[in-house]
Amino acid sequence: MLNLKLDFTGKVAIVTGAASGMGLLTAQNLAVGGAKVVLTDVNNEALQAAVAGICAKGGEAVGQLVDVRDYSQVEAAATFTVEHYGRIDILINCAGGFAGRIFQRKESFKDMPLEVLDWGMDVNFKGPIYFCRAVLNQMFAQKSGVIINLGSVDGVTGSSSMEYSAAKGGMISLTKSLAVYASPYGVRACCVSPGPVLTRASMANMPTRLGRAAEPQELVDMIVFLCSDKAAFTTGSNFVVDGGRSSGGYKA
C-alpha cells in the first residue's frame, strides 16, 4: 500500500468507480496517505463495504451512490463533498468498462445493440465530463486541484471495440483540454492509460513487451504520484502504463 509514501493530509478526494478494482485501490492508497476520500459507485452494497474497509484501517471515507450517466447524481456528490469537507482537491475518474463484457455481448461493433453502445459511451466518456464540470467551480474558487482521467492503451492504438477505444481516446483529449482551460486557476489534469491489468484473470492473456500484465498497484502508484505535489509541474499529459503493448508489432 502506498509504496511512494506520499502525504495527502488535509486533501479531499472524490474517486468514481471506487467500489472495486483500481478505483477502490486508489481510494485505499489515498486514505493511507491521509486524504479524506469520497467513494462513488453505482453498486451500493460494494460501495458501503469499501467505505467500511477503509475506515476499519483508520482512514477517513464516505460513500455516495452515483450513476455517472445522471448529472443530477454527479452534481449531488460534488455538492455533498463541499458541504461535508469544505473543498475538493482531487478527482479520479475511474468509473468505466467495456460494455460488451459487462453485458455479455459478443457481437462486433456493426451488430452491437445500440443500448450497449450508449452505455459504453456514457459511462466511459460522458460520466467523466460530467464529474469534471461538477467539481471545477470549487477547484477554481480554491485556485487548486488535480483531475486524473483513466484512459486505456486502446485509446492510443485503437481496437475493434470501437466505442470503447473512441471513449478512451476522448479521455486523452479531455485531459489536454482541461489543462488548457483550468491551468489559469491552478488546476492540473493528467490521463493514465493502462494496458492489461490483473484486475481480472483474463488480462493475463493479453501480450505486452514485458511479457506480463500489470499488477493493479503498479497503475495506482502512477495515479497517486500524479495527484501529489511531487507532480506539481505536470499537466495535460497522457501516461501510458502498458508494458510496451502500444509499441506495436502484435497481430490482432
Side-chain angles (χ1 to χ4, degrees):
M1 295 291 294
L2 201 65
N3 295 332
L4 299 179
K5 306 295 184 185
L6 299 170
D7 185 7
F8 293 98
T9 302
K11 301 292 187 181
V12 177
I14 298 175
V15 183
T16 77
S20 62
M22 285 194 294
L24 173 56
L25 188 57
T26 300
Q28 291 169 336
N29 275 244
L30 289 170
V32 168
K36 301 174 177 68
V37 188
V38 178
L39 287 73
T40 78
D41 204 281
V42 73
N43 184 332
N44 191 50
E45 184 177 354
L47 177 64
Q48 297 309 318
V51 170
I54 290 173
C55 293
K57 293 184 177 180
E60 184 166 351
V62 293
Q64 289 285 288
L65 187 65
V66 177
D67 183 337
V68 298
R69 300 173 297 172
D70 184 339
Y71 186 74
S72 65
Q73 295 183 37
V74 170
E75 187 175 42
T79 299
F80 167 84
T81 303
V82 174
E83 290 177 349
H84 196 68
Y85 287 123
R87 57 190 300 111
I88 302 171
D89 298 292
I90 299 165
L91 168 65
I92 314 286
N93 278 314
C94 277
F98 174 48
R101 175 183 59 81
I102 290 167
F103 288 95
Q104 299 183 338
R105 304 299 298 242
K106 297 183 182 299
E107 297 95 329
S108 68
F109 171 75
K110 65 183 179 60
D111 299 314
M112 189 68 73
L114 288 179
E115 59 269 24
V116 178
L117 296 179
D118 284 344
W119 185 95
M121 292 299 295
D122 288 349
V123 172
N124 288 304
F125 192 45
K126 186 184 289 185
I129 291 176
Y130 279 176
F131 254 104
C132 289
R133 184 183 189 275
V135 304
L136 279 178
N137 276 335
Q138 178 61 35
M139 288 185 173
F140 281 12
Q142 297 168 187
K143 296 195 179 302
S144 66
V146 182
I147 296 173
I148 306 296
N149 295 317
L150 265 290
S152 168
V153 65
D154 286 349
V156 177
T157 63
S159 75
S160 59
S161 304
M162 291 180 62
E163 82 290 343
Y164 180 77
S165 293
K168 291 303 187 179
M171 294 290 269
I172 299 171
S173 183
L174 170 62
T175 299
K176 291 183 179 296
S177 298
L178 279 168
V180 172
Y181 179 65
S183 59
Y185 300 90
V187 176
R188 299 189 294 111
C190 295
C191 186
V192 176
S193 291
V197 185
L198 290 173
T199 49
R200 298 192 311 278
S202 61
M203 290 285 198
N205 298 322
M206 296 176 65
T208 70
R209 290 295 171 195
L210 295 182
R212 64 176 179 86
E215 295 294 335
Q217 187 66 52
E218 293 179 289
L219 269 297
V220 171
D221 282 346
M222 175 64 80
I223 294 168
V224 172
F225 171 76
L226 291 171
C227 292
S228 76
D229 291 340
K230 297 291 186 182
F233 197 58
T234 303
T235 192
S237 297
N238 178 42
F239 294 85
V240 182
V241 187
D242 70 343
R245 183 177 172 85
S246 59
S247 299
Y250 295 113
K251 293 182 179 180

